[in-house]
Amino acid sequence: IILLISLAFSMNAQHPVLILNKESVPELRRAMNEYPMWNDMVSQVQQQADEAILEAFDVPVPVDPAGGYTHGKHKQNGKLLKRLGAIYQTTADDKYARYAKNIFMAYAQMYPSLGAHPVKASYAPGRLFWQQLNDAVWLVDAIQGYDCIYEYLQPDERKTIEEKLLRPYADFLSIESKFVFNRIHNHGVWAVAAVGMTGIVLDDDELVCRSLYGIKENNKPNKTKIDANFKKQFEAGFLTQTASLFSPDGYYTEGPYYQRYAMTPFLLFAQSLDNNIPSLKIMEFEDGIFYKAIETLIQLTDANGGFFSINDNLKGMSLNAPEMVWAVDMLYAKTKNPELLDIALTNPTRHINSAGLEVIKGLSDGLAKPISKKSITISDGTNGDAGGIAILRDDENSVCAVLKGASQGLVHGHFDRLNLMFFHEENEVLSDYGAARFVNVKAKEGGRYLPENETFGKQTIAHNTVVINEQSQFDGKFKVANEHHADILFSDYSNPEIRIACAIDSTAYEGKVLTRVSAVFASSHFNNPVLIDLFKVDADIKSGSYDLPFHFLGQILDVGFEYSANSTAQVPLGTENGYQHIWKQATGTSEDACTGITWMYNRRVYSITTSTDKNTELIIGESGANDPAFNLRHEPVFIVRQKGARSHTFASIIESHGTQNPNTESVHGQEKEIKNIELLKDEEAYTALKFESIKGTSFTLLVYTGKRDESKNHTLELEGKTYNWSGAYKLIEN
Amino acid sequence: IILLISLAFSMNAQHPVLILNKESVPELRRAMNEYPMWNDMVSQVQQQADEAILEAFDVPVPVDPAGGYTHGKHKQNGKLLKRLGAIYQTTADDKYARYAKNIFMAYAQMYPSLGAHPVKASYAPGRLFWQQLNDAVWLVDAIQGYDCIYEYLQPDERKTIEEKLLRPYADFLSIESKFVFNRIHNHGVWAVAAVGMTGIVLDDDELVCRSLYGIKENNKPNKTKIDANFKKQFEAGFLTQTASLFSPDGYYTEGPYYQRYAMTPFLLFAQSLDNNIPSLKIMEFEDGIFYKAIETLIQLTDANGGFFSINDNLKGMSLNAPEMVWAVDMLYAKTKNPELLDIALTNPTRHINSAGLEVIKGLSDGLAKPISKKSITISDGTNGDAGGIAILRDDENSVCAVLKGASQGLVHGHFDRLNLMFFHEENEVLSDYGAARFVNVKAKEGGRYLPENETFGKQTIAHNTVVINEQSQFDGKFKVANEHHADILFSDYSNPEIRIACAIDSTAYEGKVLTRVSAVFASSHFNNPVLIDLFKVDADIKSGSYDLPFHFLGQILDVGFEYSANSTAQVPLGTENGYQHIWKQATGTSEDACTGITWMYNRRVYSITTSTDKNTELIIGESGANDPAFNLRHEPVFIVRQKGARSHTFASIIESHGTQNPNTESVHGQEKEIKNIELLKDEEAYTALKFESIKGTSFTLLVYTGKRDESKNHTLELEGKTYNWSGAYKLIEN
């Protein structure tokens, strides 16, 4: 205790030190006169602060789960403390600091009396909140507020707040919760950032070392010297979390929804370290991984800025999330890339710090440029060797396909190796259900993940990838799945006409190799770029049934095959592995070499054309069965079922060919543009797909999916002609 | 023939004469320099014309149904002729007139050889199109084009076009199709306008008289003198159509979707008459009904400008429809009401004529004001005595309730007396399915009404109104239904806190009187105005089951009662009257005096609370059963079923209490604000509803639904207190 107090007194008056730091304050104040946009924004935050301080604050004894009053109030208080601090710094008006002080004192008074939160629903209950994660988030906010009012406080006030609240709080999050703190998981990152930032503000190297290097059984940090020697890493702590959770490409293995969430503590703590311990050279860690992670996260979005539904993802979460503000500001401050301002435009409230001001300056000077996203393969895995995500876009960014050939994504992962999503402009064409959860909705199990997330959301049939024998990948076993990953066998984005990638997996189903080739083909022969999809199942064991689902949204306009509809009674498609959640609406067969469906969604007309034979069964279903609590959305699915096959290749083309206008009632391009598709060759390593447009043009795509050897020459005889090529593929206009 | 030719030659050079008329041309040209917005708009139309004339035109032999090539091409040609004419007048560049002439000549060459259209799917096949309606629309467009290039044409060219195309075309639409031409129906109006406008351009009084007064069996007009004596009306013709199809309040009995469609011929022909035969004083006809009809149509929209789903309505049709351009321009030219410019802003392309220019001037001068819609009761019926539509809005226009107490709406009517719709901001809260149809979608029966429109869309259970003994109103018999109407018993919009209306019907179910009281209650005790709904069934015959469905959209968050879900097998709710199209998902009962459900839709949280007793069954269902062609949308419904009742009152309150933000994941106001509702009094003429908010405030609404007598004093004893009032209702804060 004596040591800690002396530290607090010995500090020079240098606060704030974290993100909003003393050096930037004069400019932040000056900009109020120079940039009306900045002035407006700060004034808005100030107005919120003014409104808050008119009322008595409340620091209630914690009782409620997420969605309840005390949960919401503490969350608000955390944000308010941060806001009051920032406004105190910008206005130098003591009233904000005084109000923040009073809140801190109330917390300091209550905190020592708190035990574990009464809602016992988390593996790691917090003090203020039902789960400790929220406590960590609270401290990340609150410590920024404390940092800002530090100079305003009297020494005895600091002593009270630090001794009764901040240090015990940091100890609770670290040494008393080692199992969370040392975890390689976003919960661990939040705890580490909260404790580390507190350590910086309190000038307490021990807290910083705990955060950087993790804690030993004896509560000591794994390392006590802070330096830029990154070579030796420990099993826990911020550096290890950063190195482990991000791939070298900056992909966070839990997926973009959680990456967005986890970015905040990563970035805030990293920036705090960089501002205060420059010798650590944290921004150079892992080749500048923090910046790279932001860039990658931006690429992992559709045209609405919505994150791709990879693993547990809540639909609607996007680049407009509050967590993205700091990420975009920080990257812009570093790169001055005007496309980042385009994102800032749709989410205009910045944080009050120098990076936020840089963005406002850029916006004020009209520098924003429309964002243009890339075709890119993003590696997964600590060392970038656990597969990845291939994102295929045409040059105009009108369509986007996402092929998943990554690892499981830890506990938030879905059993969806080789899943495929497809977007056209603002619409999902091939959709992914995402997670079954209503965050913060009390009526939906307090906002937690719903049982249907396990029984449907995570199951393979809920995704656009092959299910063998109606069993999910890895038999739905997380432990096994988590030990393996798929791979991106190749990707080639060099040709603007065709962007192509291939993912492969040999572990999801024992003895079976799944290979998927996806290509975005942007040709003047079609209204919009089409998605070519080849899904190969190579099996060395006895035959089974292979289901390839295509999940979509909207209304079926046309069914290309004879079918029998279950119009007067509906039963689920199966009894387990997610099949129990799909109503079986219709089944059919096709006498043609290919068939498909056409549907309308959000004023667009789409079609799938898929190859069929006498062993193909075609199923139309809808999610929502076995859902007594109405937890699931009801969304249609078209399943191509291949029966009694040993090895089989599904060949499909998905198009966005039409538009509808409800005001003029005109429907343009309602006929699909693919007339015919045919597999001319279907061998283990070679596939040749011929497809013909209704205008009569025909194309052949030759693909080699065997062992990679870019110099190898390939030869195929097709329809009496000989084709030679090297590399992964060749596209021929016949 | 000789007479007709001489008429054509004898005309003075005074064209164009219709809407874009010779007098306005100099100003339309001058404005190109004065109003950049006008210049841009005309230039855009000119660019479309320029693009068109670069290519060879096509006047194909008609073969296709709606959605097909020849259908679309002729439709385009009609619009193009109009556009070419307008651009010829604005630019005086002969090339546009020449191109239009060539198209007319091609039609003149083909037309005489055409018989009935080969697609035999309409009760009235056309020549160019599968249904004659489209032929009439074509002529309304084309005659405007012809009018504009009239002066450019040589006499022999006029002769060819008029003799081979326009006159035979007008004869086909009138004397050869009397059953359509003389019809009191939008098809009849289009035919009449086409023929009448052609008569004006060709200076042919006989054509004009046919249109104004209808045709006799001997092909002669019912009257041959054009004058402002409106007293004597005939069974057919424009005046009778106008007087019959619009109520004195300007409501078109088929509903707003068709009103929007029919307005164009009404307004274009009326304006053409006014410009050319001022002695007719057509704009004064029926107290200025043409202007009134536009005003009424604007009121019949939700916050998105979407038309209320009254009768056959296609969702998405709105004030942005092209038909509304001329309507809004014409009304603005007359009234200069700046709120009309607000509508024009969302649909900025005007027509090229003086009214369109007026709107552009208003927009250019920044005169637009946000539109504020009213609470209003709109009468139905030729004489305004066939019931009506009550529209209840709070002063901020944040919510809107629509109570239907009107007539059947001719063949486009639904069996939905006392239907109730409710909107909050941009969302439907209580929704109405509308019509089952995909206009212009070939795959959906060529774009025609689907069988499910009869079997579901029109049936009572598809609407938010009571179904007795699972049978639709009037037993689903159109003829009987068409002879009767409901009534608006009273409405009172004088109190900003509560807007209230009552509809009554005694014919839909023999021996039963249905009375519905709807009130929008805007109180500071609730986040948003709530909808109070009392539905009384008074029966003088033996008991039955009463179903009150509430159709909504989105995802159920919470069910307030015990229920059993049909999770593993689903069957339809019934076998006929629309019930066969609803999957029965769950049924339950309530032990409380009231219960309900909470749901989320488009980032909002809604609840219904409804009174229950031991004879109440609660059903949750979804549309989509017995729909083998996938023609129906799948939308949820909550049905309150009262069993074994003689007389019964359903009391319900619908609220919009919460909001959800997918980016912050915050959910505000997720708990409903109505804690309790209770019927303190439930007699034939008196109803007293007490409702309590979760904050503890309670209110009592007293309603008198007996014989109207505003001076009568009412007395009710409730909970030991005596209440006195006169008039329809009294609201008490307890």
Side-chain angles (χ1 to χ4, degrees), chain A residues 67 75-76 257 260 314-323 433 438-444 555-559 563 565-572 580 583 585-586 600 603 620 622 624-634 660 662-668 670-671, chain B residues 67 75-76 257 260 314-323 433 438-444 555-559 563 565-572 580 583 585-586 600 603 620 622 624-634 660 662-668 670-671:
Chain A
K75 224 169 139 173
Q76 279 170 21
Y257 174 85
R260 171 246 2 147
L314 277 288
K315 293 283 182 86
M317 183 58 78
S318 75
L319 294 177
N320 289 338
E323 294 88 351
Y433 191 89
F438 294 82
V439 181
N440 286 325
V441 174
K442 274 176 93 167
K444 292 295 191 192
Q555 184 87 30
I556 292 174
L557 292 187
D558 198 22
V559 177
Y563 64 94
N566 302 319
S567 290
T568 54
Q570 246 177 206
V571 294
Q580 74 275 27
W583 293 113
Q585 299 189 321
M600 182 148 72
R603 308 183 179 185
I620 295 170
E622 189 176 81
N626 268 293
D627 179 28
F630 300 98
N631 285 339
L632 292 176
R633 300 191 304 272
H634 298 179
Q660 189 260 358
N663 280 299
T664 62
E665 299 190 321
S666 59
V667 190
H668 294 298
Q670 53 186 301
E671 312 279 357
Chain B
K75 224 169 141 174
Q76 279 170 22
Y257 175 84
R260 171 245 0 146
L314 277 288
K315 293 284 182 85
M317 182 59 77
S318 76
L319 294 177
N320 288 338
E323 293 88 352
Y433 191 89
F438 294 83
V439 181
N440 286 325
V441 175
K442 276 176 92 167
K444 292 294 192 191
Q555 183 89 28
I556 292 174
L557 292 187
D558 198 23
V559 178
Y563 63 94
N566 301 319
S567 290
T568 54
Q570 249 179 202
V571 294
Q580 74 275 26
W583 294 112
Q585 299 190 321
M600 182 148 72
R603 310 184 177 185
I620 295 170
E622 189 177 81
N626 269 294
D627 179 26
F630 300 99
N631 285 340
L632 292 176
R633 301 191 302 273
H634 298 180
Q660 189 259 358
N663 280 298
T664 62
E665 299 190 321
S666 60
V667 190
H668 294 298
Q670 54 187 297
E671 312 279 357

Side-chain angles (χ1 to χ4, degrees), chain B residues 251 254-258 296-303 305-315 317-318 373-374 376 378 389-393 400-403 421-423 428 432 434:
Chain B
Y251 177 73
E254 293 181 326
Y257 175 84
Y258 277 98
T296 293
L297 188 51
I298 292 170
Q299 294 296 328
L300 288 165
T301 56
D302 62 27
F307 295 116
F308 296 142
S309 256
I310 295 169
N311 303 331
D312 281 338
N313 170 68
L314 277 288
K315 293 284 182 85
M317 182 59 77
S318 76
K373 295 175 195 164
K374 299 178 286 191
I376 189 175
I378 297 167
I389 312 277
I391 305 174
L392 295 77
R393 295 180 163 107
C400 173
V402 181
L403 176 60
M421 288 174 270
F422 188 47
F423 304 85
E428 286 179 283
D432 184 277

